[in-house]
Structures are given as C-alpha cells and as structure tokens.
Amino acid sequence: MDTGHEKVNLLGMGNEALRQWVVDLGEKPFRAQQLMKWMFHRLESDFSAMTDISKAFRARLAAIAEIQPPEVLLEKDSADGTRKWVMAMPGGSAIETVFIPEGKRGTLCISSQIGCGLNCTFCSTARQGFNRNLTTAEIIGQVWVAARSLGQTPDQRRITNVVFMGMGEPLLNFDHVMQAVSLMRDDFGFGLAGKRITLSTAGMVPMIDRMREVTDISLAVSLHAPNDALRDQLVPLNKRYPIAELMAACKRYVAGRRGERVTMEYTLIEGVNDQPEHARALIRLLANVPSKVNLIPFNPFPGSDFKRPSEESIRRFQTLLLNHDKVATLRKTRGDDIDAACGQLVGQVADRTRRSQKLKTLPLGG
Ligand code: SAH
C-alpha cells in the first residue's frame, strides 16, 4: 500500500529500539530477538527465509522494513590473507573495510566516516577531506558484510576483534559509533566482548570522557609524537587538545580498571619522529600512563613526502622502549598488495574519479 514510504532498515536499529518497534506493531517482544538472531547470527537479509516467524508477520515485515547492508563495489584478497572491501555509499562516495587474520584471531578494521576532517599530515584519508558521518547501519553493516563474505557462522566465528581504525574519526560520530558498538556486543548481535573492540582516536579529549561514561571498550590513541611541537605538525588536532590534556584523559579512561591500558599508536616516520631522542621522550611521557605502545612503520602513499624508516631504526626505537619495560609491539604491514595497509584507506573509487579528472585538467606538458 504505502509504497511511497521509505522502508526502515532494521540493521541499524539496535536491540531496545527493535523491541519497541516490534511491540508497536502488535507483536510479542521476543520477535525482536528472533529478528536479531536471523540478522546477526545467520546473516540473513531476506525475511521470507525466517521460518520461525509467522508468514503473516514476515509479509508485513517485507512491506515496511528491510535489512539493507552497504553495497560492495570491490572485494580484494591479499596474498597474506588480508581481505578488503570497498563499499558504495549513497551519493557516489565509498568507504573501506579490512579483515586481517592472524592465527586464531581475525581483526576487522572498520570506518566511521566518509573521509576525515582532521588533516593528519601522514594519513591518506585526510587527502580526500570530510564528506559525512556514517549511519549506525553503515557502521554495523561493514561487520555484517565482512562476516557474510568470510562465511562466519554461529559456531565458527571469523571476526574475533573489531577496531575503529579505518577511515574517519570515530569520536566525531559518537552516537552512531556507540550504537554500532552495542550491536557488536549484544548477545543477539555479534556477541563480542568489550575488550575485543578498540576505538582509535586522534585525541578528542572531551569525547574520551564522554565515552568513559557509556562504555568500557578498549581505547587507542594516535599519539605519533612525544612533544607538542612535533605533534602539532603531525596531528593538527593537538593544537586544540595538547598532549598533557590527552594523557590526563587517557588516565581517566582506565582509572579504577585494573590491568587496563591505553594503546598508544605511534607511526614511525623516517627522520621525523623515529630518533632515539624521540623514544626517550616517549618513555618519559608514558612513565605514569597505563599504556602500551603500538609502533606502525609509515606506509607510503602517492603524494606524500614522508618515508618509512629502515628496519634498523625501527628495531632500535622498539628496543629502547622494551629496555625501559615499556610494552611495545610492532605492527606488521599487511595487505600491502591490495592497498589495505594502515593509512592507505581512501575509498578508492571516489579517489580514482578525482584522479582521472585531475589528469584531464592538467595542462599539456605540465
Ligand atoms: N581518526 C582515528 C582513527 C583512524 S585510525 C585516529 O586517528 O586514530 C588511524 C591510524 O592509522 C592511526 O593511528 C595511524 O597510526 C594510522 N595511519 C594513518 N596513516 C598512516 C600511514 N600512512 N602509515 C601508517 N599508519 C598510518
């Protein structure tokens, strides 16, 4: 009848809202849990396949609702097992999602925004500017698409961890990110423990405090420099929320939670922040912050002047931290052959269009 109305996408609704919605339709509340199990455990998007729901209700669902994941434009497998999806967003842009298997662990790196407005100088996402926030359905939809593509079943979980380390600043899309997080954690959703979900921020200090009030998922901070002068250059947001304030917010986040540590991400860039003096300053800075350091060798991308340090200086940096009892892991570069490595996520499709436009407008001989 009312085909003129847009169907409601159940994917982004969340447990509570879905229950209320079902009740408002005159159905029993447990229908919401049935629907969620079909959506998130069996990864079913077709109401007609949901055989434990009455035919009449299924028909009604199909008329007014949908389970609509993002559309996959491109799926690429790396030789090392990494898989990347480019997903189309309404309006012609795209986002990227990456799966990184490592032994029993399978980490899904998801995006929270189309593009990013923070302008970190070493990050390729910054080059495309900010487009818009993703909806809850678009965020949880990345997990859904990946789980289905990987053949995940309730008995065989492929995605064991989720990290908000794709495109965008998750704390600038707070409500949608937190709604998606609760769907990831919900037993009728993806059922992931909070500590297996990591939110990475460039350092939105007030939002770290807000986050502390609503969740206890793992926190990662893109530090990249041990002093304000240098961090101002790499992460311009530092001018608003300098290191001392950021470290204080990190301490507050883990306060009272024994054993909890904030992950400090540190992208190593040759000649910029990779010298022994930087390592020593970092050790001093983190001395009384419950933290571990994750070193990420810079991944070069076209148009960037930065370089990845030599193996030798990467090891030297790590060893200095380890010698001072600082936990310091080195992130292996994965999915390099499919442009899926850290900081290379640019929403290739949109990027390609722009690049070809640029080529067309280049003056001859220029
Ligand atoms: N806005 C959030 C989430 C994006 S994740 C944040 O800033 O934390 C971004 C992570 O990718 C950063 O921690 C950074 O370490 C990493 N990164 C970005 N560009 C990179 C590059 N070119 N090489 C290596 N790591 C990069």
Side-chain angles (χ1 to χ4, degrees), residues 122-123 165-166 168-169 200-202 222 224 265 267 296 298-299 342-343:
F122 56 91
C123 177
M165 294 184 188
E169 168 52 45
S200 174
T201 178
S222 289
H224 310 310
E265 296 164 275
T267 297
I296 314 163
F298 172 72
N299 284 312
C342 256

Side-chain angles (χ1 to χ4, degrees), residues 187-321:
D187 284 341
F188 296 104
F190 287 110
L192 290 173
K195 62 170 194 249
R196 292 182 173 274
I197 302 170
T198 302
L199 184 147
S200 174
T201 178
M204 289 295 306
V205 167
M207 302 311 283
I208 294 175
D209 286 320
R210 223 180 123 192
M211 182 176 160
R212 182 168 56 102
E213 285 160 16
V214 299
T215 194
D216 59 355
I217 59 172
S218 302
L219 176 67
V221 163
S222 289
L223 186 58
H224 310 310
N227 63 66
D228 283 325
L230 184 53
R231 192 162 190 270
D232 280 351
Q233 290 172 35
L234 297 174
V235 184
L237 184 67
N238 193 66
K239 294 178 197 143
R240 226 156 95 202
Y241 304 114
I243 291 178
E245 286 180 34
L246 181 56
M247 293 302 109
C250 289
K251 285 196 213 172
R252 288 193 292 273
Y253 191 76
V254 293
R257 291 198 279 140
R258 200 181 313 200
E260 253 343 277
R261 282 188 283 203
V262 177
T263 300
M264 301 292 170
E265 296 164 275
Y266 196 103
T267 297
L268 285 165
I269 308 170
E270 185 184 80
V272 174
N273 64 358
D274 67 335
Q275 297 303 301
E277 76 217 45
H278 299 116
R280 283 190 279 267
L282 186 61
I283 291 160
R284 285 194 298 275
L285 176 69
L286 299 179
N288 58 1
V289 185
S291 58
K292 54 191 174 201
V293 178
N294 190 209
L295 299 171
I296 314 163
F298 172 72
N299 284 312
F301 55 88
S304 169
D305 296 331
F306 289 140
K307 287 198 181 70
R308 174 189 307 226
S310 66
E311 263 329 288
E312 196 192 335
S313 42
I314 293 171
R315 288 290 170 199
R316 181 182 58 188
F317 198 96
Q318 184 186 24
T319 306
L320 269 167
L321 296 180

